[in-house]
Amino acid sequence: RTDISHDAWGLSREELEAHEQIVVTYSQGGYVKRIPADTFRRQHRGGKGVSGMNMKDGDPIKDLLVVDSHDSLMFFTNKGRVLSKVAYELRADLSRNTRGVPTPNIVNVWDTENISALIGVGKKQYEEYQYLVLGTRRGRVKRIKLEDVERIRPSGLIIMNLKDDDEVVSVKLAKDDDDIIFVSEQGMGIRFSVNDLPVRRRTAGGVKGMSLRTGDSVVAMDVGNDDSLLMTISKLGRGKVNPLSEYRRQGRGGLGLRAFKITKNTGLIADAQIVAESMEVYVVSKKAQIMRTNLSEIRTLRGRITQGVMIFKPSSGDMVSSIACVSELDLEDEKAQLGEAVKNSNKKGKKRGRKK
């Protein structure tokens, strides 16, 4: 029996939005786009990729992030500020060829700054990690408590005090037993413990993490441990995966060890990332070509000073911009969908057989 009531019940947007995996891209021109993760087909390494954004000249993709639609997106500016937005608040685009939305239409970015790092944080991350680690172009590094940025006002928060000639290039989540790895454009790398860093106040500056030779600069910073794998890729598409254990732990502030063999066939280093427990890699080029490939197709190499294998073949005038890794959960979702489709197909076949 149905009862009719005049009581009103309100549902928040958070309760109405479904949990789904989405890809969030950010271009160097400041455009943010949200699209379903299954928009990109999987390809074998060495491919040329598919178009990832309808872009104007001089506006290549800078970051690509795979998150849950209920995660908080933290936008870290090059000037040391952080702003936040829930992923489902971004406008959904069904096609990968759309341009996206200007960042100032989403978060309060000043005219004098741009977004240099983007991470997704959800309930799981708050339970598993205790710190945020920030790395800069000049090799500075800072550790702060994650809880210090749990509530970010719409106008943003100052998260790192920087010198005029420096900028934030990477922000990562970290635990007490993690190590930090810096990789420079000229192929140097240094690894040291997170515990070597003092926990600083939110508005404080950083400490020296890596010394740099003349003309060199930091392209990536990440966190991991001996069980992690480090993927490094050059601007001309050659890359490799090495166990992080091959980079011995050193004191912070040094030049580090040779991490990549730089030649005319490789070009300088474009990006590096810890890929432990990841199953797929998105390779993004300056001209917005995106290739999705299985991590198992990239041979794990022994030895730091190697130039790797060809992963991505950039077209003339193009080069690799960044990489992003997709966790195993994404593949399990695909397998579950495939298994369900096969099961439904078998049921239909049995029904047809009984009719005969």
Side-chain angles (χ1 to χ4, degrees):
R1 187 174 180 179
T2 302
D3 291 329
I4 299 176
S5 172
H6 295 287
D7 295 335
W9 298 91
L11 293 175
S12 66
R13 183 174 179 181
E14 183 179 3
E15 295 172 308
L16 294 172
E17 291 284 349
H19 286 267
E20 61 176 342
Q21 293 245 303
I22 59 174
V23 173
V24 178
T25 62
Y26 175 73
S27 75
Q28 289 188 0
Y31 284 81
V32 179
K33 183 174 62 172
R34 165 194 165 185
I35 49 179
D38 58 3
T39 302
F40 303 102
R41 66 179 185 269
R42 188 182 298 114
Q43 297 174 293
H44 297 290
R45 71 171 179 86
K48 290 184 177 294
V50 296
S51 178
M53 179 176 284
N54 185 11
M55 46 158 277
K56 61 181 181 179
D57 292 340
D59 188 22
I61 288 178
K62 183 176 182 181
D63 286 316
L64 185 149
L65 194 64
V66 182
V67 298
D68 183 86
S69 58
H70 283 245
D71 286 352
S72 294
L73 297 173
M74 291 188 181
F75 296 79
F76 295 86
T77 75
N78 63 325
K79 299 295 185 180
R81 290 202 310 140
V82 59
L83 305 109
S84 180
K85 205 74 172 176
V86 181
Y88 62 67
E89 294 181 301
L90 300 179
R91 187 189 74 186
D93 291 298
L94 297 178
S95 171
R96 63 174 178 262
N97 293 318
T98 56
R99 191 171 174 186
V101 180
T103 307
N105 292 1
I106 301 172
V107 290
N108 186 23
V109 181
W110 297 339
D111 294 338
T112 57
E113 64 185 0
N114 55 66
I115 304 300
S116 59
L118 178 65
I119 66 170
V121 180
K123 182 179 178 181
K124 180 181 178 182
Q125 284 76 23
Y126 280 114
E127 293 174 350
E128 185 176 352
Y129 299 96
Q130 298 86 46
Y131 307 108
L132 274 175
V133 178
L134 296 88
T136 75
R137 186 77 62 191
R138 305 308 305 158
R140 307 291 290 182
V141 63
K142 178 182 177 180
R143 174 172 64 148
I144 66 169
K145 292 181 179 179
L146 183 58
E147 62 189 31
D148 289 348
V149 292
E150 189 171 0
R151 293 177 179 85
I152 301 174
R153 55 179 176 260
S155 59
L157 296 173
I158 296 174
I159 197 169
M160 189 173 186
N161 188 16
L162 298 168
K163 295 183 178 180
D164 293 338
D165 62 342
D166 205 0
E167 63 179 359
V168 175
V169 295
S170 186
V171 181
K172 299 294 178 181
L173 298 164
K175 305 185 293 290
D176 281 316
D177 57 350
D178 281 332
D179 287 338
I180 298 171
I181 179 78
F182 271 85
V183 178
S184 78
E185 190 178 45
Q186 294 180 6
M188 301 298 293
I190 186 170
R191 173 188 174 188
F192 53 90
S193 173
V194 166
N195 292 321
D196 287 350
L197 300 175
V199 179
R200 313 213 73 183
R201 292 180 293 108
R202 179 175 54 81
T203 56
V207 296
K208 180 178 283 189
M210 181 180 191
S211 296
L212 299 166
R213 293 189 174 97
T214 302
D216 201 4
S217 62
V218 171
V219 295
M221 181 212 69
D222 214 330
V223 297
N225 52 49
D226 281 338
D227 297 326
S228 303
L229 297 173
L230 177 67
M231 179 179 175
T232 311
I233 190 166
S234 71
K235 292 184 178 182
L236 296 185
R238 295 193 69 89
K240 61 174 183 168
V241 177
N242 288 109
L244 192 61
S245 57
E246 294 190 355
Y247 299 82
R248 71 174 185 271
R249 185 181 292 175
Q250 300 175 281
R252 65 173 179 84
L255 287 170
L257 306 171
R258 178 66 62 183
F260 201 94
K261 185 178 181 181
I262 302 293
T263 68
K264 64 179 181 179
N265 294 323
T266 65
L268 297 174
I269 301 301
D271 203 358
Q273 190 170 342
I274 294 292
V275 294
E277 299 181 2
S278 294
M279 295 299 294
E280 291 184 314
V281 176
Y282 290 87
V283 181
V284 185
S285 81
K286 293 275 188 185
K287 290 187 176 180
Q289 292 295 306
I290 296 178
M291 188 190 72
R292 178 185 178 189
T293 187
N294 201 303
L295 187 64
S296 62
E297 294 188 17
I298 304 172
R299 187 170 72 251
T300 300
L301 300 176
R302 292 288 175 179
R304 288 180 291 105
I305 314 175
T306 57
Q307 60 181 353
V309 297
M310 180 58 70
I311 297 175
F312 181 84
K313 294 178 180 178
S315 58
S316 178
D318 197 8
M319 63 180 62
V320 174
S321 173
S322 64
I323 54 176
C325 297
V326 183
S327 67
E328 188 175 14
L329 177 63
D330 300 290
L331 281 184
E332 292 300 323
D333 290 343
E334 289 179 359
K335 290 176 182 177
Q337 293 171 5
L338 181 59
E340 189 66 27
V342 172
K343 189 184 298 184
N344 293 336
S345 177
N346 291 339
K347 286 181 181 178
K348 291 179 181 178
K350 290 179 181 179
K351 288 181 181 179
R352 293 193 193 100
R354 284 198 296 268
K355 287 181 181 180
K356 292 178 181 180

